[in-house]
Structures are given as structure tokens and as C-alpha cells.
Amino acid sequence: MNCLPAPPLPAPLLPEGLTLWQQIQEDWIAHGRDWTKPGFRAVAIHRFGVWRMQVQPKLLRAPLSILYRMLYRKVRNTYGIELPYTVELGRRVIIEHQGAIVIHGYCRIGNDCILRQGVTLGNRYLERPLEAPQLGERVNVGAGAKIFGNVQIGDDANIGANAVVLSDVPNMATAVGIPAKILDKVKQSYGNS
């Protein structure tokens, strides 16, 4: 099996009209105005990482990049939250708890999503390293859930605790189980037995 290296990721941009400070303040409010929460710290460092990529020239960005890498590693090693700056992170995303949270660099996470401990958003196939989950708006991801590959999770969807999602989940659906199935379909199959 021959795996090609992934091309460099383009840095996401801050939402139009928001400064770094405004975005961090919005995230702080979403995290219950508690700056000590590991999830808030991880998101704030992510925002800083995105912001510093817009600093020009590259020579001025270099010390900010060193600071970002130190802070990123501190959050990863202390709290167990891997949230690289290349993730397209929506507004008011909440990382509710700490521990074993791994997010692929090509993921997109929409506004107002909630991620809990033990969540993995990653690629499914080694030979396709660029494929990563895409979460819509207001997605609620339960503890221990795993979402793998080029999977689209619709707006207002719920992913149950410990679910393993390998295929798309429509808007407003709930996916549970290993492998995950849409809850309405699960209820129907139990009703027929």
C-alpha cells in the first residue's frame, strides 16, 4: 500500500466581522463564562492558531507560531484534546468535557455543536487521508462517539454515546449503535419482531 503525503492544509479564516478577541469572548460565554474549562482553552488556542496564520509577513508570524505550537501541545498533553488550527470550527462550539478528543485536521464543525469526552472525528481509510467528517449546525455528539471518513452529519443531528458512525446522518436524525443506525429505523425493526 502506497500512501501519498497529504498536501498542506489551507488555514481557515475567522468569521467576517469578528476579531480574535470577539470570537474568544463568544466562546467564553458559550462555555458558561468559565475560562478554566479545558474545552474553552482548546477552542481559544484554536482561534489563536487561525488568527496567527493571517499575520503578514511570515517573519512576524514566526514567534506567534512557536507560541501556538507550545499552547496546542500543552492542551493536547494536559487535557487530551487534539484540535488543530486547520479544523474549520464554527461559532460557539462547545467541548463539554476533556479527555481523548481527537479531531482530524480536515474536519468541518458547524456553529453551536457540542462535543463530549472520548469523541473521535477522523479518517477511515489509510489510503484516503484527506477524508474527514463534516458536521452541520447544532450537532450534538455523545460521549465516546466515533465518526469516521467522508461522512456528512446533518443540522440538528444527535450522535448517541459510543456510536460508530460510518455513513451520512440526515438533518434532525439520531444515530445510535455500532455501526450507527438512524434511531427511527431501529425502532421500526424492533417493532416488527
Side-chain angles (χ1 to χ4, degrees):
M1 179 174 8
N2 186 7
C3 292
L4 299 174
L9 297 169
L13 301 174
L14 291 175
E16 274 190 49
L18 283 183
T19 65
L20 173 64
W21 176 248
Q22 289 170 327
Q23 181 120 43
I24 289 174
Q25 187 175 25
E26 186 177 74
D27 292 325
W28 174 68
I29 292 167
H31 281 87
R33 299 176 187 266
D34 185 353
W35 66 271
T36 66
K37 283 189 172 182
F40 166 71
R41 290 179 176 191
V43 169
I45 290 165
H46 173 275
R47 305 292 187 204
F48 172 74
V50 170
W51 171 83
R52 58 107 192 172
M53 289 303 290
Q54 298 169 32
V55 172
Q56 296 295 333
K58 207 172 183 179
L59 186 62
L60 291 176
R61 184 186 326 144
L64 298 173
S65 294
I66 292 168
L67 177 61
Y68 165 74
R69 286 186 188 100
M70 287 175 24
L71 294 171
Y72 171 81
R73 288 180 178 128
K74 173 75 171 160
V75 165
R76 181 194 64 195
N77 296 342
T78 303
Y79 304 126
I81 301 172
E82 290 188 39
L83 179 61
Y85 76 93
T86 53
V87 171
E88 283 187 52
L89 193 65
R91 296 174 65 179
R92 299 172 302 277
V93 171
I94 297 172
I95 298 178
E96 191 65 41
H97 307 289
Q98 68 188 39
I101 298 172
V102 180
I103 301 174
H104 188 286
Y106 276 89
C107 280
R108 183 195 163 282
I109 301 173
N111 297 332
D112 303 303
C113 290
I114 299 175
L115 306 176
R116 291 181 177 76
Q117 72 274 15
V119 167
T120 299
L121 306 177
N123 73 334
R124 185 172 176 187
Y125 301 107
L126 189 59
E127 61 274 6
R128 294 187 269 184
L130 308 181
E131 294 184 354
Q134 310 293 308
L135 277 60
E137 312 282 314
R138 300 169 302 281
V139 175
N140 184 356
V141 183
K146 313 296 183 227
I147 305 173
F148 295 123
N150 187 18
V151 173
Q152 306 291 321
I153 307 297
D155 296 344
D156 301 297
N158 292 296
I159 307 301
N162 296 316
V164 177
V165 179
L166 303 173
S167 58
D168 293 351
V169 176
N171 293 344
M172 299 191 302
T174 298
V176 297
I178 302 173
K181 295 186 179 8
I182 305 305
L183 190 58
D184 292 336
K185 292 179 182 176
V186 172
K187 283 183 183 177
Q188 290 172 0
S189 66
Y190 284 122
N192 293 335
S193 49

